């Protein structure tokens, strides 16, 4: 299968004795946009780090484009250029003295000529509306601006595969809409996405396919996002929506929150 990017078979990951992933079987195909949905602590970030070759499983196998994803493979610059990781917390990612240097870092690592680095950095900063903060230290920016710089610095390398960890967390509504539009544009370029989130609307809006991790750190569902979002029992059991009880006069009603939050179940 030429289009296979990742194949995970029986993958387990433990932090010491703390389990984070169990019996993970997963394939990701070129051009797919996959969301990994799960409650806090279900293992989403760990899974992305395994896909990024930052962590190696305690058991099971991971292959990347048909080759075992070993430490040697993950450390190759060709792997690093193909796979971009956008961390949940941009502060983990931003280390350069200025926004310009941050965005230029990846293209410099690719060994591009100085002029090309400048052109590419300028283009990406224009695209992200970051030119006016070019000389600012990244740590002085707002949360939304930091996230934009973190994404811009990854996209400046033009990776084919993007791993995004909770990309909408901490963003105001306008920046969330901007991000969703950006993802839609990137999808037209046939990139492959794996997006870890507990944001059901993000998963539903951008990802055609969703896998659900539950508190046992296993994949409990893998299918079309639209079908997964319609499965209230599954979302309740994976702790992605909750039932909420309240009183109207003498009657106690309960309804779920999340995509089913319309109060029509008891009207
Ligand atoms: N560095 C770590 N050391 C020990 N346990 C960790 C560490 N990172 C994550 N864990 C644990 O592994 C499990 C999965 O965590 P994580 O992958 O961060 O989940 P998620 O991203 O879905 O919130 C959780 O129980 C978490 O507490
Ligand atoms: Mg996480």
């Amino acid at each position: 299968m030429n289009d296979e990017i990742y194949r995970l078979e029986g993958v387990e990951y433990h932090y010491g004795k703390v389990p984070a992933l169990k019996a993970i079987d997963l394939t990701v195909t070129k051009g797919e946009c996959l969301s990994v949905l799960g409650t806090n602590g279900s293992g989403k970030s760990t899974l992305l780090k395994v896909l990024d070759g930052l962590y190696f499983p305690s058991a099971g196998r991971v292959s990347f484009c048909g080759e075992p994803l070993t430490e040697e493979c993950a450390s190759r610059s060709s792997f690093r250029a193909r796979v971009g990781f956008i961390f949940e917390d941009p502060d983990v990612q931003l280390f350069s003295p200025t926004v310009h240097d941050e965005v230029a870092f990846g293209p410099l690592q690719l060994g591009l000529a100085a002029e090309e680095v400048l052109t590419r950095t300028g283009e990406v900063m224009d695209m992200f509306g970051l030119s006016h903060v070019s000389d600012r230290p990244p740590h002085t920016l707002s949360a939304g601006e930091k996230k934009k710089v973190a994404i811009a610095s990854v996209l400046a390398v033009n990776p084919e595969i993007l791993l995004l960890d909770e990309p909408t967390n901490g963003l105001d509504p306008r920046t969330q809409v901007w991000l969703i539009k950006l993802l839609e544009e990137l999808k037209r370029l046939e990139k492959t996405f794996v997006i870890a989130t507990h944001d059901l609307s993000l998963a539903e809006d951008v990802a055609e396919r969703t896998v659900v991790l539950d508190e046992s750190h296993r994949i409990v569902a893998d299918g079309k996002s639209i079908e997964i979002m319609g499965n209230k029992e599954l979302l309740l059991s994976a702790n992605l929506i909750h039932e909420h009880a309240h009183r109207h006069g003498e009657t106690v009603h309960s309804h779920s929150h999340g995509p089913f939050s319309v109060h029509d179940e008891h009207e």
Side-chain angles (χ1 to χ4, degrees):
M1 273 207 300
N2 291 334
D3 278 354
E4 183 179 289
I5 303 283
Y6 288 106
R7 174 178 291 265
L8 279 65
E9 291 168 298
V11 165
E12 316 257 326
Y13 192 87
H14 299 259
Y15 295 91
K17 286 191 177 155
V18 180
L21 294 172
K22 282 192 178 163
I24 303 293
D25 291 328
L26 179 69
T27 54
V28 181
T29 311
K30 186 173 164 50
E32 239 187 333
C33 183
L34 171 71
S35 80
V36 178
L37 206 55
T39 190
N40 288 336
S42 57
K44 303 179 297 297
S45 298
T46 307
L47 178 60
L48 288 197
K49 287 171 185 165
V50 167
L51 298 178
D52 195 42
L54 292 173
Y55 293 170
F56 296 90
S58 323
R61 282 178 301 281
V62 181
S63 68
F64 176 74
C65 298
E67 243 194 273
L69 181 49
T70 57
E71 287 188 47
E72 195 271 319
C73 164
S75 62
R76 278 184 220 149
S77 54
S78 55
F79 177 82
R80 290 287 143 220
R82 290 181 74 184
V83 181
F85 193 140
I86 295 155
F87 285 83
E88 177 177 9
D89 176 3
D91 286 323
V92 173
Q93 211 172 320
L94 305 174
F95 56 88
S96 299
T98 67
V99 168
H100 177 275
D101 289 358
E102 190 68 58
V103 178
F105 180 81
L108 278 171
Q109 293 296 106
L110 288 181
L112 301 178
E115 209 165 303
E116 202 181 337
V117 171
L118 270 182
T119 312
R120 199 187 273 202
T121 305
E123 280 171 5
V124 172
M125 296 219 299
D126 280 349
M127 177 183 161
F128 280 71
L130 288 169
S131 304
H132 67 293
V133 292
S134 172
D135 296 330
R136 296 255 308 267
H139 71 266
T140 65
L141 303 176
S142 72
E145 288 169 332
K146 281 182 187 173
K147 185 67 110 186
K148 284 187 175 176
V149 176
I151 299 175
S153 65
V154 169
L155 289 183
V157 177
N158 198 22
E160 296 163 49
I161 299 142
L162 286 158
L163 309 173
L164 296 103
D165 198 358
E166 306 278 6
T168 51
N169 262 17
L171 298 185
D172 61 41
R174 199 182 302 145
T175 314
Q176 289 194 22
V177 170
W178 168 85
L179 181 78
I180 288 167
K181 282 194 180 145
L182 173 73
L183 293 174
E184 293 295 349
E185 275 173 42
L186 293 171
K187 280 172 67 175
R188 268 185 250 136
L189 302 176
E190 295 191 15
K191 295 192 183 291
T192 305
F193 296 84
V194 182
I195 305 174
T197 185
H198 59 257
D199 178 345
L200 297 175
S201 61
L202 174 70
E204 191 170 26
D205 282 352
V206 303
E208 289 74 33
R209 178 178 157 213
T210 291
V211 297
V212 179
L213 283 172
D214 78 357
E215 286 149 325
S216 73
H217 314 292
R218 292 168 201 273
I219 292 179
V220 291
D222 180 347
K224 287 189 176 152
S225 301
I226 192 162
E227 285 166 13
I228 290 190
M229 300 310 156
N231 189 338
K232 182 179 159 187
E233 255 174 53
L234 168 72
L235 299 179
L236 272 171
S237 72
N239 194 23
L240 288 159
I241 54 174
H242 64 274
E243 291 259 287
H244 164 82
H246 60 156
R247 189 177 286 276
H248 292 294
E250 288 305 299
T251 326
V252 175
H253 297 297
S254 83
H255 61 84
S256 49
H257 277 208
F260 306 97
S261 55
V262 244
H263 289 215
D264 59 1
E265 290 160 42
H266 51 260
E267 277 168 7

